[in-house]
Amino acid sequence: MAEIIFNNVNKYFFLQHQKTLKELVQAIFKKQKTLERVHALKNLNFFIKKGEVVGIVGKNGAGKSTLLKLIAGVSAPTSGSLEIKEMVSPLIELGAGFHPELTGRENIFLNGVILGLKEDYIKKKFNEIVAFSEIARFIDTPIKYYSSGMYMRLAFSVAIFTDPKILLVDEILAVGDTAFQAKCLTKMNEFKDKGVTIIFVSHALETVRAFCTRVLYLKKGELMYDGEVNKGIDQYINEK
Amino acid sequence: MRNNMLKYWELIKHLTLREIKGRYKQSFLGFFWIILNPFFQMVIMSFVFSTIMKQQGLGIPYPIFLYAGLLPWLFFSNSLGSAMNSLTSNSSLVKKIYFPREILVLATLVAKVFDFILAFIIFAILMLVFKINLSWYMLLYIPIFFLQFFFTYGLSLLLSALNLFYRDVQYLFDLVLTLWFYLTPVIYATEFFPEKYRFIFKLNPMSVFINAYRQVLFKGDFPKWESLVVGLLISLGLYLVSHRLFKKMEGTFADVV
């Protein structure tokens, strides 16, 4: 059963070159571009089934992030239709809403509810989350005193307790030390074995090769390849 | 929509707490600024206006009269100031995670209500010091405040969305607020204005609310219902328009923020 269906999806957005009226007025006088219409995704048709692990590859600006935004529901398609049948857990923004002045403990709750968890559930899982993050000693310290590694560990720990049906992952494995990265990959594999649908955006092609069961290759907003992992990546490398 | 907001109650709560805690942890005096700032504004203004402008015939001491208008006004202008930036300053959330965006605006305003309540404590003490008669009518302050909150919310939705597209909206609106302040009976009473100009106050919801507050606090009487109804209708109309626009633009917030 398809969980994510893209039906002739197009996404345009306007690149606003000026953010203030002053700049806008100047630009009009100088006859510069003011609004640029960008065709970010071109006529995408595909569906993703439950339990698939899909890697999305492509150069910067190919539309990978836009695609994730559409799936996450934060951005609407300009034309075409898009169906998402399960709750999406975005692992694309680790530490969403983290406030530097608040303690680790307070941020776990804040970040948890932003990711759609219930407060009771967070309370119940609190010790596990802290244990996974390995920063129990600093849990009542404001996170502005955390190292970036500690910060990411805390953020990742909350994110993996979201019990997702569809997981969006954007370059997150590039953070933390090797030991923690390994731990993350183990966790991702657990999700994979549990049958969670995973959409994975990464420039780390070897990870995509090892981890994904399908590849979508985007080029300038167009879907160039959809299918077997090694073939897709090879095509991407050849065209690069 | 109600149903929706109930579902997101915990999110609203935690975003509001973040707003409040984050602010107070940053400064040494923390909570005191929230109380002291409006208090000193009141002291300065009452010194200026009671000696220079000779406000008379108010029936109550001028500092109390002024404070009763200044607190709701400061709530209004501070709320708009923060709400306008609530989407831009949470750009990482707006870009990545879906939840109804008006929650960001709402949480900002609720945090301001907290400030308002703190500042109100000093006001309440002053009322006791100046021996204002207590009456049951004072309880009507709360529903009037809810109405003011509703009005502020409607305007915040509109401005926060517009500010996302052009950042000048906030500067422009700062100017509007300055003018609006003088067209609202904060430092003076409506009776000081010639009859033929008083329609301004009838159509200005902030004026309606402030007059109603003073009515229930100092006159021991019901507010003027017909003006409150005008205030309610304007608030409702504003909310319906703003909310619709906000929802319509919501799908593009992530692209422009």
Side-chain angles (χ1 to χ4, degrees):
Chain A
M1 200 186 77
E3 281 194 311
I4 300 173
I5 305 169
F6 272 62
N7 207 345
N8 284 323
V9 168
N10 279 287
K11 176 75 186 177
Y12 289 93
F13 52 81
F14 287 101
L15 209 58
Q16 223 180 347
H17 287 285
Q18 297 81 22
K19 271 288 171 195
T20 66
L21 285 178
K22 179 191 153 222
E23 289 166 5
L24 181 67
V25 171
Q26 284 177 342
I28 289 171
F29 274 111
K30 290 182 189 158
K31 297 206 168 82
Q32 290 167 341
K33 275 189 223 162
T34 51
L35 280 180
E36 198 181 337
R37 203 168 132 101
V38 181
H39 199 170
L41 293 176
K42 294 171 188 159
N43 220 19
L44 295 188
N45 279 299
F46 63 86
F47 60 89
I48 294 173
K49 284 189 294 226
K50 182 172 161 42
E52 278 192 288
V53 181
V54 181
I56 299 177
V57 295
K59 281 193 235 172
N60 287 330
K64 304 190 298 288
S65 302
T66 312
L67 188 66
L68 282 192
K69 278 183 188 174
L70 289 184
I71 299 176
V74 298
S75 179
T78 315
S79 70
S81 72
L82 175 62
E83 251 181 90
I84 313 282
K85 299 200 170 146
E86 286 283 359
M87 203 194 110
V88 178
S89 283
L91 222 64
I92 47 184
E93 177 74 2
L94 282 182
F98 267 17
H99 194 296
E101 299 286 340
L102 302 186
T103 65
R105 179 189 304 273
E106 289 166 325
N107 272 307
I108 288 179
F109 278 93
L110 176 66
N111 185 231
V113 292
I114 287 176
L115 294 176
L117 298 180
K118 288 278 159 227
E119 216 180 277
D120 287 340
Y121 177 82
I122 305 172
K123 267 184 204 146
K124 225 166 53 196
K125 293 279 179 182
F126 188 80
N127 289 333
E128 282 179 63
I129 296 175
V130 176
F132 190 88
S133 71
E134 303 169 359
I135 50 162
R137 271 178 63 205
F138 305 101
I139 201 66
D140 288 310
T141 309
I143 60 166
K144 64 177 171 182
Y145 299 117
Y146 283 21
S147 69
S148 56
M150 286 160 72
Y151 182 97
M152 291 321 289
R153 288 214 295 263
L154 183 69
F156 189 80
S157 308
V158 184
I160 57 159
F161 278 89
T162 50
D163 188 27
K165 298 283 185 291
I166 300 174
L167 193 64
L168 305 181
V169 187
D170 190 2
E171 291 293 358
I172 57 161
L173 297 180
V175 298
D177 49 40
T178 1
F180 193 73
Q181 275 184 29
K183 209 169 161 182
C184 294
L185 261 178
T186 317
K187 200 72 200 176
M188 301 272 291
N189 275 314
E190 267 175 45
F191 280 132
K192 188 175 160 182
D193 295 340
K194 266 200 281 181
V196 175
T197 311
I198 302 175
I199 319 276
F200 186 75
V201 169
S202 183
H203 288 288
L205 295 177
E206 288 321 304
T207 317
V208 176
R209 244 188 243 276
F211 186 60
C212 297
T213 57
R214 176 179 167 191
V215 148
L216 299 182
Y217 163 37
L218 285 176
K219 187 181 180 186
K220 292 178 182 156
E222 264 178 279
L223 187 57
M224 304 297 284
Y225 181 86
D226 174 3
E228 206 265 318
V229 179
N230 287 322
K231 261 188 181 166
I233 292 177
D234 291 341
Q235 187 183 341
Y236 170 50
I237 292 172
N238 286 336
E239 287 184 23
K240 213 159 43 169
Chain B
M1 172 214 148
R2 191 119 321 162
N3 199 1
N4 219 350
M5 282 310 214
L6 229 57
K7 191 175 128 201
Y8 286 105
W9 143 248
E10 286 185 349
L11 179 57
I12 298 172
K13 178 179 138 195
H14 280 277
L15 284 174
T16 305
L17 283 175
R18 174 182 75 161
E19 195 83 10
I20 294 171
K21 285 186 190 162
R23 202 146 24 103
Y24 292 126
K25 284 189 178 177
Q26 270 170 31
S27 68
F28 180 61
L29 278 175
F31 290 97
F32 284 99
W33 286 124
I34 302 304
I35 302 181
L36 289 178
N37 189 308
F39 180 72
F40 282 119
Q41 283 198 44
M42 182 276 288
V43 170
I44 294 164
M45 285 170 129
S46 29
F47 176 74
V48 172
F49 292 108
S50 60
T51 50
I52 296 173
M53 280 175 59
K54 289 270 180 268
Q55 305 272 357
Q56 282 162 343
L58 294 170
I60 46 163
Y62 183 66
I64 287 287
F65 174 86
L66 173 68
Y67 217 9
L70 191 61
L71 279 185
W73 175 265
L74 287 178
F75 168 73
F76 177 67
S77 67
N78 291 340
S79 294
L80 288 175
S82 319
M84 259 189 280
N85 289 313
S86 56
L87 296 177
T88 42
S89 60
N90 284 300
S91 58
S92 65
L93 290 185
V94 171
K95 266 190 266 185
K96 303 282 166 85
I97 296 170
Y98 181 75
F99 52 84
R101 300 302 179 217
E102 60 266 35
I103 286 178
L104 289 171
V105 178
L106 189 62
T108 315
L109 293 193
V110 178
K112 291 291 171 194
V113 173
F114 177 78
D115 291 359
F116 176 80
I117 293 171
L118 278 189
F120 196 89
I121 294 171
I122 289 266
F123 177 56
I125 293 171
L126 270 182
M127 282 207 292
L128 291 176
V129 170
F130 281 96
K131 298 200 172 60
I132 302 292
N133 293 325
L134 297 177
S135 78
W136 290 111
Y137 291 101
M138 286 181 173
L139 290 179
L140 287 169
Y141 196 96
I142 296 165
I144 302 170
F145 185 74
F146 270 103
L147 191 54
Q148 186 194 336
F149 183 88
F150 182 55
F151 174 69
T152 312
Y153 180 54
L155 196 53
S156 299
L157 283 182
L158 183 69
L159 293 174
S160 59
L162 292 179
N163 194 43
L164 208 54
F165 292 88
Y166 281 105
R167 301 292 146 82
D168 304 72
V169 170
Q170 52 185 309
Y171 305 115
L172 192 69
F173 199 75
D174 276 347
L175 274 179
V176 173
L177 266 181
T178 311
L179 180 67
W180 199 337
F181 174 76
Y182 289 103
L183 291 177
T184 304
V186 176
I187 50 176
Y188 55 83
T190 36
E191 289 77 30
F192 293 119
F193 256 68
E195 186 81 52
K196 60 175 175 181
Y197 295 123
R198 280 193 210 160
F199 68 91
I200 297 171
F201 302 123
K202 294 214 171 79
L203 294 175
N204 170 2
M206 281 312 291
S207 163
V208 169
F209 303 140
I210 287 174
N211 281 333
Y213 290 136
R214 284 178 178 150
Q215 190 84 2
V216 298
L217 288 181
F218 307 137
K219 300 258 168 77
D221 198 359
F222 284 112
K224 290 189 184 113
W225 297 115
E226 68 277 11
S227 348
L228 268 187
V229 167
V230 174
L232 175 69
L233 288 178
I234 293 177
S235 309
L236 196 65
L238 178 69
Y239 170 77
L240 289 176
V241 172
S242 303
H243 189 259
R244 248 191 104 166
L245 266 171
F246 191 91
K247 282 311 208 185
K248 214 168 179 172
M249 293 198 264
E250 197 176 35
T252 58
F253 285 175
D255 308 332
V256 294
V257 70

